[in-house]
Amino acid sequence: MNFRLSAAASAAVIVISAAACSREDASTPTLASSPEIAATAAVTNAPADQTSATQQELRRDKFSYANYDEVRVTHVSLDLDVLFDEKVLDGTATLDLEYVKPDAKSLILDTNDLTIRSVDARVGEEWVAATINLGADDPVMGSRLEIALPEGAAQVRIAYRTSPGALGLQWLAPEQTAGKAHPFMYSQNQAINARSMVPIQDTPAIRITYDATLRTQKDLFAVMSAAQDPDGVRDGDYYFSMPQPIPPYLIAVAVGDIEFRPISDHIGVYAEDYIVDRAAKEFEDTPKMEAADAALYGPYRWDRYDMLVLPPSFPIGGMENPRLTFLTPTIIAGDKSLTNVVAHELAHSWSGNLVTNATWRDAWLNEGVTSYVENRVMEALYGPERAEMERTLDLDELKRVVGEAKRPELTQLKMPADIEDPDDAFSQVSYIKGAFFLKFLETRFGRDVFDPFLKGYFDHFAFKTVITEDFVEYLKDNLLTAHPGVVSEEEVHEWLYEPGLSATMIIPHSDAFAKIVEMQAAWLAGDMTPADFGADGWTTHEWLSFINSLPDHTTLDQFAALDITFDLTHSTNDEIAFAWFMKSIDAGYEPAFPEIRKFLLRVGRGKFIFRLYSELVNEGRKVWAQEVYAEARPGYHPVTQQRLDETLK
Ligand code: BES
Ligand code: ZN
């Protein structure tokens, strides 16, 4: 029955998209007549019986087994030992329950690779053993854990342990850390890996508060995405509490030989000793970023904002864990040129953490809105030229990704109902097309109108979960109708439900990049030498533009000439190095290969290494890539290993 409803809902969306193509046609359905918009309930927290069947279907997160429309987990209390010898977390999770349907008979949770020791339910003051049923393991979803609820059960307590191979956790041996003396562990739970750390309703459709007691070795410090004291006693026994309701994918933990440096009274950075001072310097503008966000969208609502620099194997650039952003060390370039990642993760404190996508089909509401805010903050701090450069580089990326899309539906902002993995929703489409959608609205309405609108959206849906259709309804009620004739519903519809680059996209332009491309052409034609570029004053972004636009016919001699003048092969800026390595693989520029190997052994950030390995495979160097991978694999995160095993098998 679920299947039938979901098929009907997606069919409706497809029909509407097709009709909206012919904009001149008077019979074109408007957003108001589309089924996904028509219903009125605005937030997931609305009572289930007040929402239409279609609305409920659109709000259903198909990547969770949880019966959150019957019983909802509202608070999680963790009591865990962090056991480095065995690479497991071991202890209990106590879940508070809220009954959506008073007669609910069971609680269904998500788990992945957990060993469940026992489950008890609390009725009144008494704990009684509960009957459970653990389903078969699905490669994407993990296992369904059904707990029979005795009548009146207010809490369940699950004794469990994680697996050493848990997808959401990485355990690093001392030799894999910079200091080489202490082990390190951390979680990366978005999108659906919280279930490999905690038995939980692992869906952004619900929000929970949490607290945690962690016990670990006395010589290690633990941090979580929660309230904590940076100067607290370091005795191996740590307590955390997150009083604000968050989606479960934002539960996060890290344990290691971690130092702290304050940046302001409520902002600071945690990192291993070797990099903590450099990190504090690199991120010293974070208070200004917060001020820029707050000026646009209202005060920061999460008390402290700290950052944690992870070991280089961290699989992504940054993760917006509340109160404690996780960051890759590869953005510490020494010149703040890559701190847009900080602006991005901080912006999630409004878009994503405060107003959260209810399903992964709506990931653009997290990532696209955040990427837009990120760019506004970069503009506020470093000027319009830098913001325009970042948008220009982004657009090139978006074009590449749209061109390579497996199917056109994956280039819509609203992801199709049949995506097989939540990761499919996190392509550059959600990020960049999403940001360009808001840029389009900003440009049409003007900042005087659009900025207060977006602030109003964050306020209206604060601590709620939303789907694309809620955004559209809010947009209609608060922007389109109030300012008629500026943006049509069909234009909005095209951005959200149709594939490809929108006809109304605002194309960024950078004079600096245009000049660089001109010089590059003159050099390639033999009319100029690299020494004449005046490249000493180039920013990282200008370098990226120069390297990315090197044409296929660039000769190996020309690569060598660039390298002699600029030593790009040894760039200490990981973005520049990556761009250069991609071109070097493509061209077969041998002198870069030893450095590519070192890079792949040092860095685990997916954005870089997935593309480098794929490029090596595509350019006929699979055997070499496999050799490097065999050496590098033990240092990569489990999710990264899983994906590369596929590429390099
Ligand atoms: N929330 C994402 C990271 C993420 C997305 C993790 C999906 C797992 C699944 C984070 O905010 C992010 O977008 N990070 C980017 C940086 C940004 C500047 C685009 C990254 O890691 O590259
Ligand atoms: Zn993000």
Side-chain angles (χ1 to χ4, degrees):
M1 152 125 143
N2 271 345
F3 171 73
R4 204 167 50 79
L5 269 175
S6 114
S10 67
V13 171
I14 289 162
V15 168
I16 290 153
S17 304
C21 289
S22 53
R23 260 178 244 133
E24 267 75 288
D25 182 348
S27 69
T28 298
T30 63
L31 285 173
S33 65
S34 67
E36 72 267 35
I37 308 303
T40 50
V43 294
T44 315
N45 303 8
D49 57 359
Q50 285 178 23
T51 60
S52 75
T54 317
Q55 273 277 329
Q56 274 188 48
E57 201 45 47
L58 284 165
R59 282 175 206 289
R60 176 71 222 171
D61 173 10
K62 75 165 190 166
F63 296 108
S64 171
Y65 293 112
N67 58 337
Y68 55 89
D69 44 2
E70 296 179 342
V71 202
R72 223 169 263 171
V73 175
T74 57
H75 181 82
V76 179
S77 184
L78 298 172
D79 188 322
L80 297 171
D81 290 305
V82 184
L83 303 172
F84 279 95
D85 289 346
E86 297 169 76
K87 302 187 175 173
V88 300
L89 303 175
D90 190 316
T92 59
T94 306
L95 314 180
D96 294 3
L97 306 180
E98 175 186 281
Y99 287 77
V100 183
K101 296 200 174 135
D103 58 345
K105 296 280 181 292
S106 69
L107 170 69
I108 302 171
L109 303 177
D110 297 295
T111 73
N112 195 352
D113 232 356
L114 299 180
T115 305
I116 307 295
R117 285 200 219 285
S118 62
V119 180
D120 296 294
R122 184 173 67 77
V123 185
E125 292 307 304
E126 219 164 303
W127 287 94
V128 292
T131 310
I132 64 165
N133 187 353
L134 188 62
D137 178 48
D138 174 273
V140 176
M141 300 262 291
S143 311
R144 171 184 199 274
L145 173 63
E146 179 160 11
I147 301 169
L149 292 173
E151 196 162 334
Q155 282 184 316
V156 295
R157 186 175 61 209
I158 302 157
Y160 73 101
R161 91 178 350 217
T162 63
S163 147
L167 277 178
L169 304 175
Q170 187 176 18
W171 299 84
L172 294 165
E175 343 40 285
Q176 293 173 300
T177 66
K180 313 263 183 240
H182 301 272
F184 199 106
M185 71 81 62
Y186 67 89
S187 66
Q188 170 47 47
N189 284 340
Q190 200 182 17
I192 56 170
N193 289 331
R195 63 190 70 176
S196 73
M197 173 178 158
V198 188
I200 204 174
Q201 293 184 317
D202 189 10
T203 168
I206 67 153
R207 303 184 83 87
I208 53 156
T209 52
Y210 81 89
D211 66 79
T213 299
L214 297 184
R215 280 169 304 275
T216 187
Q217 300 170 199
K218 289 196 182 344
D219 54 344
L220 299 179
F221 194 60
V223 290
M224 289 192 85
S225 55
Q228 60 203 300
D229 180 1
D231 303 313
V233 194
R234 297 175 166 237
D235 59 357
D237 209 329
Y238 303 100
Y239 178 75
F240 307 89
S241 120
M242 171 44 96
Q244 291 146 311
I246 56 166
Y249 71 84
L250 293 176
I251 298 174
V253 62
V255 180
D257 184 18
I258 300 168
E259 303 281 325
F260 178 76
R261 294 287 182 275
I263 292 175
S264 78
D265 61 342
H266 69 288
I267 297 178
V269 60
Y270 293 97
E272 287 178 84
D273 182 57
Y274 83 105
I275 204 169
V276 71
D277 289 314
R278 266 190 287 155
K281 184 91 191 108
E282 196 83 11
F283 306 145
E284 70 183 358
D285 290 346
T286 310
K288 289 186 199 152
M289 290 181 175
E290 187 207 321
D293 279 313
L296 285 165
Y297 309 119
Y300 179 74
R301 305 198 198 201
W302 302 88
D303 193 14
R304 290 198 61 87
Y305 181 77
D306 293 316
M307 292 160 275
L308 170 68
V309 179
L310 279 300
S313 64
F314 187 54
I316 57 177
M319 178 64 212
E320 66 271 28
N321 298 316
R323 300 178 186 228
L324 185 64
T325 281
F326 283 22
L327 295 167
T328 170
T330 63
I331 61 170
I332 300 176
D335 61 0
K336 303 179 189 167
S337 63
L338 306 177
T339 55
N340 69 299
V341 177
V342 175
H344 179 96
E345 305 314 334
L346 175 62
H348 272 305
S349 308
W350 287 262
S351 42
N353 298 1
L354 192 61
V355 181
T356 308
N357 57 210
T359 86
W360 301 117
R361 288 183 68 189
D362 306 293
W364 81 273
L365 287 171
N366 275 21
E367 298 303 344
V369 178
T370 296
S371 298
Y372 168 79
V373 173
E374 164 201 331
N375 194 256
R376 288 296 301 275
V377 168
M378 294 310 282
E379 178 184 320
L381 264 72
Y382 306 111
E385 177 74 355
R386 173 156 175 186
E388 194 91 8
M389 285 189 196
E390 293 188 355
R391 285 203 302 282
T392 307
L393 292 168
D394 279 351
L395 180 55
D396 288 343
E397 269 294 289
L398 178 62
K399 285 181 183 159
R400 181 180 65 76
V401 166
V402 166
E404 291 172 2
K406 273 182 274 167
R407 55 195 180 106
E409 292 87 338
L410 294 175
T411 68
Q412 303 164 188
L413 284 178
K414 176 86 178 189
M415 286 291 121
D418 62 353
I419 48 170
E420 279 162 20
D421 192 305
D423 287 351
D424 292 347
F426 288 90
S427 80
Q428 299 290 3
V429 172
S430 290
Y431 286 81
I432 305 175
K433 184 174 173 178
F436 273 93
F437 172 41
L438 296 208
K439 192 57 155 186
F440 156 71
L441 295 173
E442 176 211 300
T443 307
R444 283 278 183 91
F445 288 98
R447 289 184 173 181
D448 288 354
V449 171
F450 186 68
D451 291 352
F453 161 79
L454 196 54
K455 176 177 189 297
Y457 163 78
F458 293 140
D459 286 340
H460 184 76
F461 291 108
F463 296 106
K464 302 240 161 59
T465 57
V466 287
I467 56 176
T468 301
E469 291 67 24
D470 297 323
F471 177 89
V472 173
E473 190 177 282
Y474 188 84
L475 181 76
K476 273 181 20 183
D477 291 352
N478 295 281
L479 205 54
L480 302 197
T481 316
H483 303 271
V486 180
V487 168
S488 72
E489 292 184 15
E490 288 77 11
E491 285 171 323
V492 171
H493 195 285
E494 190 212 0
W495 276 96
L496 296 172
Y497 300 103
E498 288 183 35
L501 302 183
S502 170
T504 54
M505 186 166 61
I506 311 294
I507 310 285
H509 173 81
S510 157
D511 287 336
F513 286 3
K515 233 178 91 192
I516 280 175
V517 173
E518 244 173 61
M519 277 198 288
Q520 186 180 74
W523 164 62
L524 288 166
D527 300 337
M528 210 176 176
T529 70
D532 303 329
F533 290 167
D536 281 353
W538 283 3
T539 62
T540 295
H541 302 89
E542 287 168 294
W543 272 114
L544 293 175
S545 164
F546 177 85
I547 296 168
N548 290 343
S549 56
L550 283 172
D552 288 346
H553 60 77
T554 311
T555 65
L556 291 176
D557 284 346
Q558 286 165 330
F559 271 82
L562 290 175
D563 228 3
I564 287 164
T565 316
F566 306 118
D567 198 16
L568 292 167
T569 293
H570 297 97
S571 174
T572 52
N573 181 306
D574 285 335
E575 287 281 351
I576 294 177
F578 164 72
W580 178 248
F581 293 158
M582 287 297 289
K583 288 287 176 184
S584 298
I585 295 170
D586 206 32
Y589 176 61
E590 292 293 339
F593 279 75
E595 291 305 315
I596 295 173
R597 180 175 164 276
K598 284 190 205 157
F599 188 92
L600 291 169
L601 286 168
R602 173 172 63 87
V603 174
R605 184 175 174 189
K607 170 184 170 178
F608 297 146
I609 69 174
F610 293 140
R611 289 195 54 213
L612 287 170
Y613 279 115
S614 302
E615 196 69 7
L616 286 165
V617 171
N618 294 339
E619 294 300 320
R621 292 179 190 259
K622 187 165 179 177
V623 175
W624 189 78
Q626 284 168 331
E627 280 165 21
V628 177
Y629 181 51
E631 207 178 324
R633 189 180 185 280
Y636 292 153
H637 186 278
V639 169
T640 312
Q641 292 180 352
Q642 199 183 44
R643 184 156 155 191
L644 286 173
D645 286 349
E646 196 57 32
T647 314
L648 292 164
K649 67 170 178 263

